[in-house]
Amino acid sequence: EKFNFSISLGLAKYYSDAISDNVKRAQEQMLRMGTYPSRPSYGYKREPISKDKTEIVVDVFASKVVQKAYEWYATSSFSMELLRQKIKSEFGVDWSKGMTDKILKDHFYYGLMTWKNKQYKHKYPPIITKELFDQVQQVKASFNKKPFKYAGKPYIYRGLLRCGHCGLAVTPEKHKGHVYYHCTQYNGKHGAEWLTEDDLTKQFSAVFDKLQMPQEAVDDIVEALQTNHKHKSDFYHDLLSRYQTEHQKYETGIEKAYDDYLLGSITKDKYEEKRKEYRAKQKEITKKIGKLNYADEEYYLTSEYLLKLASNAGKIFESSEVHEKRLLLKMTLENLELSGKKARYDWINPFDKIAFYASRQSWLPLQDALRTFDWREMREELISLSSPKFRVFG
C-alpha cells in the first residue's frame, strides 16, 4: 500500500509538472509572438473576438488619460500630487499615488511588455512614443533631487530662481501664512533680501504684460496659420494611413508565417527569421508614426494659441494654477535670478521677438507699427514650435 501510494504521488506530481510546463511553453510562445498573456496595463482592455477568444485593444478614453498624463508630467511643471489633481479635475479619474507612479514608468505604453523580469516587444498600438517615455523618466529622476525634493508643496517658484549675487538656489519658506523666497546664503552672508510670493507674482505679471500685440497683427497671423493648417492636416492623415496599412501588412505576414510553420511548410528557424525581420520593420514604422504625431495638426493650432497667449499673457498668468504658472515661466523665460528684490530674466525665442516688437508699438502709431513689423518673420518663428508642453493649456 505504501509503495502504491508513493507511485500515485509521483504520477500526480509528474502530471502537475507537465501541465505547468505546457502553460509556461504556451506563455513563452505568446510572448515571442508579441501577445500579452495576462491583464494589460491601464489604457488597454480585452475585447471578445470570438466565443472563446479575446484580444487586447486600446481603450480610447483611458489611453487619452495616459497620454495626457505623460505630456503634462514631461513639462516638469507637475509634481505627482499636482498631476493627480489635474487628472481628476480634467477626466474625473482618481489615481492613487502608487498607480500614478506605476503608469509613469510602464514600458507597455510605447511597445515593450515585461514578464517575469524579461522584456518583449508587443504587437499592440503604442499610446506614447519612446522619446516621451524617456523624457518623463528624466523628469521623475530630477524630482528626487534638490530643489524639487518637496515639490509636492504648492510653491510656485521653487527651483526656478537663483540668487543673482552667489548663484545659489532661492528657496521658499512659509511664515505666518505667507510664503517668502530668499537665498540660502550657504556660501556666506551677503544681506540677501526676502521677497513674498505675491510680490514675485506681480513682477512676473508685469513682465508678461510686455507681450501685448496689436489685434490686427494677431488676426493676420492666425488667418495665415489656419490656411496652412488645412494643407498640412490632409498630408498628415494621408501619411498616417499609409504607415498604419504598412504596419498591418507586416502583422499579417507574421501570422501567415506562423500558420506555415504549424503546417510544416517552413522550419522554426525560418519562421523566427521572418518574425524578427517583420518586427524590426514594424518598429521603424512605429518610430515614424511617433515623429509624425509630434508634428500633427496641433502644430499650427499650437502656434495660434501662442499668439493668443502673447496677447493675454499677464491675465493668464495671474489666473493660472500653480503648475500652469510654472509652465508659463519655463515656456517664455530663462536665466531667472533674484537680484535684491528684483527678478531678472532673459526671454526665450520667439517671445524675445514678440516682446521686442511689442515694445515698439508703445511709441509707434498703429498703422505705422503694422507696416514696420515683420509679421512673416514672426509667423515663421511661431510655426517652428511643436513641443507638447504648449498643449497643456489647449
Side-chain angles (χ1 to χ4, degrees):
E1 289 177 356
K2 289 182 179 180
F3 175 74
N4 288 334
F5 182 68
S6 298
I7 293 296
S8 298
L9 285 179
L11 289 173
K13 186 177 186 306
Y14 172 78
Y15 181 70
S16 176
D17 291 344
I19 292 177
S20 177
D21 289 341
N22 288 337
V23 170
K24 289 178 181 178
R25 281 196 293 268
Q27 288 179 345
E28 185 65 28
Q29 179 64 26
M30 291 176 68
L31 292 167
R32 286 199 297 268
M33 291 286 294
T35 303
Y36 193 60
S38 184
R39 183 179 179 181
S41 300
Y42 180 89
Y44 296 86
K45 63 181 179 179
R46 284 194 174 275
E47 284 193 348
I49 57 175
S50 65
K51 185 177 180 180
D52 56 351
K53 190 175 181 181
T54 62
E55 181 62 280
I56 294 176
V57 298
V58 174
D59 185 316
V60 176
F61 174 76
S63 63
K64 185 66 174 179
V65 179
V66 171
Q67 185 181 35
K68 283 298 182 182
Y70 269 83
E71 289 181 359
W72 289 333
Y73 198 80
T75 64
S76 72
S77 298
F78 291 80
S79 66
M80 200 74 74
E81 182 60 31
L82 286 175
L83 180 64
R84 290 179 60 230
Q85 294 174 12
K86 179 73 172 176
I87 291 170
K88 187 174 182 179
S89 65
E90 293 290 331
F91 299 103
V93 178
D94 191 6
W95 288 350
S96 66
K97 290 183 179 179
M99 183 174 179
T100 306
D101 182 67
K102 180 181 178 182
I103 286 174
L104 290 178
K105 58 185 182 184
D106 193 341
H107 299 266
F108 201 96
Y109 296 121
Y110 70 86
L112 286 182
M113 53 187 174
T114 303
W115 188 261
K116 293 184 178 179
N117 298 322
K118 291 184 179 179
Q119 288 189 330
Y120 305 82
K121 296 175 184 176
H122 67 65
K123 65 179 183 179
Y124 313 110
I127 293 177
I128 61 172
T129 64
K130 177 66 163 60
E131 291 76 12
L132 181 57
F133 179 84
D134 291 340
Q135 188 176 352
V136 165
Q137 305 320 302
Q138 292 176 3
V139 174
K140 279 175 65 65
S142 71
F143 268 87
N144 292 325
K145 301 175 182 178
K146 291 181 179 181
F148 298 106
K149 186 175 182 181
Y150 304 104
K153 295 182 179 179
Y155 296 146
I156 301 173
Y157 308 108
R158 179 189 292 279
L160 298 181
L161 289 161
R162 304 197 78 82
C163 176
H165 182 272
C166 64
L168 292 176
V170 171
T171 184
E173 287 188 24
K174 198 168 185 178
H175 293 283
K176 296 181 180 180
H178 294 282
V179 177
Y180 294 86
Y181 290 80
H182 64 93
C183 175
T184 59
Q185 302 188 88
Y186 182 79
N187 293 331
K189 301 289 184 180
H190 54 77
E193 298 280 358
W194 287 52
L195 196 62
T196 67
E197 191 167 85
D198 291 339
D199 288 338
L200 278 172
T201 298
K202 289 178 182 177
Q203 288 193 40
F204 286 122
S205 295
V207 168
F208 288 124
D209 283 336
K210 297 177 182 178
L211 295 177
Q212 292 292 333
M213 296 171 61
Q215 187 59 43
E216 290 86 346
V218 175
D219 294 340
D220 175 64
I221 300 177
V222 167
E223 182 180 355
L225 290 171
Q226 289 174 336
T227 301
N228 290 337
H229 164 250
K230 175 63 172 62
H231 300 296
K232 183 184 178 300
S233 179
D234 293 341
F235 171 78
Y236 164 80
H237 289 294
D238 178 63
L239 190 56
L240 179 61
S241 178
R242 285 162 51 192
Y243 282 154
Q244 291 172 336
T245 300
E246 190 175 1
H247 190 281
Q248 183 57 45
K249 180 183 72 174
Y250 289 119
E251 189 64 37
T252 303
I254 292 174
E255 293 174 358
K256 184 178 182 303
Y258 184 64
D259 289 338
D260 291 341
Y261 163 61
L262 292 178
L263 294 172
S265 302
I266 61 174
T267 64
K268 181 178 180 181
D269 290 341
K270 185 65 177 177
Y271 160 69
E272 288 293 338
E273 179 185 341
K274 283 288 184 184
R275 187 185 66 82
K276 289 180 180 178
E277 177 188 350
Y278 290 162
R279 286 293 183 221
K281 290 181 178 179
Q282 283 183 321
K283 184 177 180 181
E284 290 300 318
I285 294 171
T286 300
K287 286 183 180 179
K288 291 179 181 179
I289 292 175
K291 292 179 181 178
L292 182 65
N293 286 334
Y294 270 113
D296 64 7
E297 63 260 32
E298 291 185 46
Y299 185 84
Y300 290 110
L301 297 179
T302 295
S303 304
E304 177 182 343
Y305 183 79
L306 280 174
L307 286 168
K308 293 179 179 179
L309 169 65
S311 298
N312 299 282
K315 294 179 181 178
I316 291 174
F317 183 80
E318 287 185 355
S319 61
S320 295
E321 299 295 331
V322 172
H323 65 272
E324 291 173 335
K325 283 185 170 69
R326 290 177 61 86
L327 183 59
L328 274 169
L329 290 171
K330 291 183 178 183
M331 284 169 55
T332 56
L333 305 176
E334 61 184 356
N335 301 325
L336 292 170
E337 63 178 31
L338 196 60
S339 180
K341 289 194 174 184
K342 180 73 174 177
R344 302 190 181 279
Y345 58 90
D346 292 321
W347 289 105
I348 295 176
N349 184 49
F351 295 100
D352 54 346
K353 292 182 175 61
I354 296 177
F356 169 72
Y357 285 121
S359 67
R360 295 169 61 184
Q361 313 314 311
S362 60
W363 51 271
L364 284 174
L366 180 60
Q367 294 302 318
D368 291 340
L370 291 174
R371 282 195 293 269
T372 58
F373 196 106
D374 191 347
W375 300 118
R376 281 179 294 183
E377 176 187 349
M378 179 60 63
R379 183 177 63 192
E380 292 302 317
E381 292 284 353
L382 288 167
I383 65 176
S384 68
L385 295 170
S386 60
S387 171
K389 68 183 180 181
F390 295 111
R391 302 175 190 169
V392 74
F393 294 98

